[in-house]
Amino acid sequence: MGRGGPAMRYNERELLSLARQPAEKAAEIRMSVPKKGSVLKKRLVKLVVNFLFYFRTDEAEPIGALLLEHCKITKEEENVFSISFIEEPERKYCFECATEEQCQEWVEALKRASYEFLRRSLIFYRNEIQKMTGKDPLEQYGISEEARFQLGAHRQ
């Protein structure tokens, strides 16, 4: 199975299990991969947590997965968006949607899917709850002091 993003190792069985989970978003859209001579092909594309899986439309197992971290989601021409990775900007995956509205929905969903976005959201809402209640909502879980939940901390 193809992998996107920084050089990371994933357990194939775990990825296949994740690919079978309910998707935040899924659709058949046209997609091209960053290979010379690659053309747009219809694929079932499925967003699960921060992975974007892509399937041949007649197969149950994904042919690839992109980890949506350290990536750039760009609105290209009408109905088209792309995903490229900061470490390898020339590796670009292109997606062509049926409508401009569908394209915009995908761009927004993909931008919300990254760990960093979720971490920042958690910190924001944690602070808001603390202001309103005077209590740290993470304290009850024994994780309130963890660096990853602090403003300015970055996951390694």
Side-chain angles (χ1 to χ4, degrees):
M1 181 186 326
R3 293 175 179 83
M8 296 178 128
R9 297 279 170 246
Y10 303 102
N11 178 311
E12 194 97 8
R13 201 170 67 238
E14 287 173 357
L15 270 181
L16 289 173
S17 172
L18 187 61
R20 292 185 188 106
Q21 298 301 311
E24 278 87 47
K25 191 156 190 58
E28 282 189 11
I29 55 181
R30 292 163 48 85
M31 171 188 178
S32 69
V33 296
K35 279 188 204 156
K36 197 173 172 97
S38 177
V39 295
L40 288 166
K41 294 180 181 166
K42 189 178 253 190
R43 296 283 182 238
L44 170 60
V45 178
K46 187 174 170 182
L47 176 62
V48 181
V49 191
N50 61 344
F51 278 93
L52 187 68
F53 294 96
Y54 50 99
F55 304 73
R56 288 187 180 93
T57 54
D58 58 347
E59 292 180 9
E61 288 195 0
I63 53 174
L66 302 177
L67 174 62
L68 299 172
E69 299 300 333
H70 309 292
C71 67
K72 185 177 175 190
I73 292 123
T74 308
K75 178 74 180 73
E76 305 280 347
E77 65 249 31
E78 195 173 329
N79 299 0
V80 177
F81 67 91
S82 68
I83 299 173
S84 58
F85 294 90
I86 292 163
E87 290 86 359
E88 303 173 79
E90 69 286 346
R91 257 183 81 222
K92 190 156 94 168
Y93 294 78
C94 290
F95 301 85
E96 184 181 75
C97 299
T99 66
E100 185 58 29
E101 182 183 12
Q102 182 189 39
C103 187
Q104 202 54 48
E105 287 170 6
W106 271 101
V107 168
E108 288 167 17
L110 293 169
K111 285 183 176 177
R112 286 192 307 263
S114 79
Y115 172 88
E116 194 53 36
F117 177 85
L118 295 172
R119 189 184 76 80
R120 279 195 220 114
S121 296
L122 177 124
I123 290 168
F124 171 80
Y125 289 114
R126 174 191 186 189
N127 290 337
E128 291 298 301
I129 291 168
Q130 205 160 0
K131 280 185 218 165
M132 291 167 68
T133 66
K135 291 184 179 162
D136 182 348
L138 299 183
E139 215 170 302
Q140 62 185 324
Y141 301 106
I143 58 174
S144 60
E145 297 307 313
E146 289 188 23
R148 64 187 167 153
F149 300 125
Q150 308 309 315
L151 213 49
H154 289 287
R155 185 172 179 215
Q156 297 299 316

